[in-house]
Amino acid sequence: MLNSITLAGRAGKDFILKPIGTTLTKAVGTFAYQNRKDSPVSWFNINILSFGADTTAKRASEQIKKGDLVLVEGKMLSNQAEDGKIYWRLEAHSFNLLNKEQA
C-alpha cells in the first residue's frame, strides 16, 4: 500500500529542531490547510525528518516561520487516544517554501 501526501498550507508556528539519538533529527511544527476559502481549516502536526548527514530538518527549523506558505511531501500517520479520538500527523521528507527565496 502506498502512503504519500503533498500539501500546501501555512505554518502555524516556527518549526523547532529536536535531535533524536545520534542519527535522527526532526523539525516539529504545525500546518494549516484549507481546501477552499469557505471550507473549514484542517490542522496537522508536521515532523520533517532527517537521517544521518541529511540536513532537511535543520534547514526546516531555520527557514519555516509562522505564517509561511509551505509545500510538504511525506506520509500520514495516525494515533488513537484512549478516548477513541484519532490524531493525525504528517511525517515529511521534503519541503519547499512558496513565499520566500530559497536559501
Side-chain angles (χ1 to χ4, degrees), residues 22-97:
T22 57
T23 61
L24 176 63
T25 306
K26 69 179 178 177
V28 178
T30 59
F31 188 88
Y33 167 79
Q34 189 173 23
N35 193 29
R36 295 183 320 264
K37 281 193 174 236
D38 60 342
S39 64
V41 175
S42 297
W43 284 91
F44 295 90
N45 292 317
I46 308 289
N47 295 329
I48 299 176
L49 304 176
S50 292
F51 298 94
D54 181 17
T55 60
T56 305
K58 183 174 189 254
R59 286 186 308 104
S61 69
E62 293 169 349
Q63 296 177 6
I64 301 175
K65 304 301 178 197
K66 182 178 180 177
D68 285 348
L69 184 59
V70 184
L71 178 82
V72 293
E73 295 180 63
K75 63 183 178 180
M76 294 298 299
L77 300 172
S78 65
N79 292 326
Q80 188 167 8
E82 289 181 14
D83 62 3
K85 289 183 182 177
I86 296 176
Y87 294 90
W88 290 92
R89 74 179 184 281
L90 193 154
E91 280 195 357
H93 54 78
S94 67
F95 75 96
N96 287 305
L97 292 174

